[in-house]
Amino acid sequence: MASSKSRKKIRVNWKRFVPFLIIIALLVILGLFFLLRKDTKISGLDQSLSVSYGDTVKENICISPGRNRTVYLQKKTGSEWKTVRTYSTKGMALTEGKDGAKKAKISIRLSKEDYGKKDTSWRVAVKNSVFAKGCGSSALKVLPMNTGQDPGISGKAAIIVRMKDGRVFYGLNENSELPNASTTKIMTALLSMQALDADTKVPYTKAAANTSYRSLNASVGESYKASDLWKALLVNSSNDAAVALAEKTSGSESAFVTAMNKKAKAMGLRHTHFQNPHGLDETEHYSSCYDLAMMDRAAIKLSAYRKDIKLKSVTLNPIGKKSKSQTLYTTDRLLRENVTGFEGGKTGSTTEAGGCFVSNYKYKGTEYITVVLGSSDRWKDTKKLYKYIRDYC
């Protein structure tokens, strides 16, 4: 009898656990549902953005999954992210991504009242939803430029860039595609210096010897050391040296021009196209202030380039012909004037391009690059940019 009563009691106890088992099962299912939610993807937000102070910043972003999401535009204050503006994707037309998730496209805006004159960091955040996990985007750093008084540049375009990180402090039509004359030779120097040894023997072909506006009185068959032609290229802006170096580096002038354009593309220079290695006016030969600053920023890392752009003169002769030496003088007036802080540069001037100048300037231990294109007085314009650096950078 005792055994029968005991079995009956056990059956009653199991029934008591059924509601708890159902609750546990539901919690497990719900937990798995939230655990298996799709990760939110946020794309389209730049990592850094140089913007003229006073302009409205507009960034288009994409959020996936995007259905019924609340999006927060946040500004970093101290160590915290604080919400400045809220957006909603509710009622928005959505597009389907490759993964099948519905994507929402949102445009965010920042006025000068939002970001001010100092660097600010921003991000976009999305909270958890039933269908997707929440997340925050990588930070967008807004770097205001043109925060100082307009320097009054006479040229068509100009820029000030900090050497160490490429930060733009001032820009005037800095991405405009303009004829850039002999500043082209920065790219010619960069490619040939990376490809040739300083003692490489560079012969003068008929094409090199007959280049327009040549500097060296070289005959066909004569040769120079590559290091000597780099000096002629950068000190006196020698067009014939540019052709000779191009032919030695790539086998022909046309192949070298192809390499120049390929290099520009690899460097992310979107407003540059070359037709020759020297910069004489040709249709579809152009660059921009920003792109030239980036070329100079790459070239200045080469010791030969940094040294040669500071030379006021150089005496050269063909290999084995010391009696045929000649002295070439710099085309750079700022070198001759011994301007304080000036670290050399590359000049350019043609009928179409006007006055062009890419220069390097050091102030209080910080190096800057300045560029002017299409200037009626490139020296005066460059000095105005130096004053801007001293006053506002």
Side-chain angles (χ1 to χ4, degrees):
M1 292 292 290
S3 175
S4 176
K5 288 181 180 179
S6 177
R7 284 195 298 271
K8 186 175 181 180
K9 187 176 182 181
I10 291 172
R11 283 196 296 270
V12 170
N13 287 342
W14 272 112
K15 287 180 181 179
R16 290 177 182 175
F17 283 109
V18 169
F20 296 104
L21 291 173
I22 293 173
I23 292 172
I24 290 171
L26 289 173
L27 288 173
V28 169
I29 293 170
L30 190 62
L32 287 172
F33 177 77
F34 281 105
L35 190 65
L36 296 175
R37 284 178 303 173
K38 292 186 176 182
D39 291 329
T40 298
K41 296 178 182 179
I42 302 174
S43 60
L45 202 65
D46 292 328
Q47 288 190 320
S48 65
L49 188 68
S50 293
V51 55
S52 290
Y53 177 66
D55 287 352
T56 297
V57 180
K58 180 181 178 182
E59 285 285 280
N60 296 315
I61 63 170
C62 183
I63 297 168
S64 177
R67 188 182 301 280
N68 296 330
R69 308 301 298 274
T70 300
V71 183
Y72 303 93
L73 175 63
Q74 298 179 329
K75 179 180 180 180
K76 194 167 189 179
T77 304
S79 59
E80 296 183 358
W81 290 101
K82 294 189 176 180
T83 298
V84 172
R85 207 162 293 127
T86 303
Y87 301 84
S88 175
T89 68
K90 188 175 182 180
M92 288 181 59
L94 306 178
T95 57
E96 188 168 325
K98 292 181 180 179
D99 58 357
K102 295 291 185 178
K103 299 188 297 182
K105 294 181 179 179
I106 289 180
S107 294
I108 62 172
R109 286 178 170 81
L110 301 175
S111 65
K112 69 176 182 179
E113 287 75 20
D114 286 323
Y115 63 80
K117 288 189 175 182
K118 295 183 178 180
D119 301 355
T120 51
S121 293
W122 299 79
R123 76 170 186 177
V124 171
V126 181
K127 288 189 175 181
N128 288 325
S129 73
V130 175
F131 301 103
K133 298 175 184 177
C135 74
S137 70
S138 56
L140 160 66
K141 196 161 190 177
V142 177
L143 310 172
M145 64 182 190
N146 298 345
T147 58
Q149 185 177 352
D150 188 342
I153 300 299
S154 73
K156 294 179 180 178
I159 200 170
I160 296 171
V161 173
R162 187 164 59 195
M163 181 81 73
K164 68 178 181 180
D165 56 7
R167 164 78 184 272
V168 179
F169 284 92
Y170 171 79
L172 170 68
N173 302 320
E174 67 275 9
N175 290 313
S176 293
E177 297 170 354
L178 297 167
N180 63 300
S182 286
T183 59
T184 295
K185 296 183 176 91
I186 298 173
M187 180 62 88
T188 302
L190 177 61
L191 282 180
S192 61
M193 286 178 176
Q194 289 177 333
L196 306 176
D197 292 329
D199 292 331
T200 300
K201 184 178 179 180
V202 181
Y204 259 61
T205 64
K206 184 177 180 180
N210 293 328
T211 304
S212 299
Y213 305 105
R214 57 189 178 274
S215 298
L216 291 168
N217 186 27
S219 301
V220 176
E222 291 181 332
S223 298
Y224 286 81
K225 289 182 179 180
S227 59
D228 286 344
L229 292 186
W230 293 331
K231 291 179 176 67
L233 184 80
L234 297 171
V235 175
N236 192 250
S237 203
S238 172
N239 291 336
D240 45 317
V243 173
L245 287 165
E247 291 180 325
K248 182 62 179 179
T249 301
S250 298
S252 69
E253 185 177 348
S254 61
F256 186 79
V257 172
T258 297
M260 293 171 77
N261 287 315
K262 185 176 179 180
K263 180 71 170 179
K265 185 176 181 180
M267 292 173 66
L269 310 182
R270 296 181 294 131
H271 302 287
T272 294
H273 187 266
F274 298 111
Q275 295 278 70
N276 60 61
H278 39 65
L280 291 177
D281 291 330
E282 281 194 58
T283 305
E284 295 304 305
H285 187 104
Y286 56 81
S287 191
S288 69
C289 287
Y290 180 82
D291 286 5
L292 286 166
M294 294 303 105
M295 289 180 221
D296 181 74
R297 185 167 176 247
I300 204 74
K301 296 175 183 178
L302 304 175
S303 59
Y305 180 86
R306 184 181 281 269
K307 177 183 174 182
D308 290 349
I309 60 174
K310 296 179 184 178
L311 297 175
K312 294 181 181 180
S313 66
V314 61
T315 300
L316 308 172
N317 58 270
I319 295 173
K321 294 185 177 182
K322 290 186 178 180
S323 61
K324 197 180 176 181
S325 64
Q326 61 185 112
T327 301
L328 302 178
Y329 296 93
T330 183
T331 56
D332 188 337
R333 185 187 295 181
L334 297 192
L335 270 181
R336 298 196 296 270
E337 292 180 1
N338 297 313
V339 173
T340 302
F342 179 57
E343 297 281 304
K346 184 67 201 77
T347 61
S349 179
T350 66
T351 302
E352 291 295 322
C356 306
F357 191 39
V358 179
S359 83
N360 301 279
Y361 181 71
K362 183 183 283 188
Y363 181 64
K364 291 186 176 180
T366 301
E367 294 179 301
Y368 299 89
I369 303 166
T370 71
V371 184
V372 292
L373 293 177
S375 175
S376 59
D377 191 336
R378 52 186 163 169
W379 316 118
K380 187 175 182 180
D381 280 346
T382 297
K383 289 177 181 177
K384 287 178 179 178
L385 294 177
Y386 292 170
K387 186 178 186 303
Y388 191 98
I389 289 170
R390 294 191 298 271
D391 290 345
Y392 303 111
C393 294

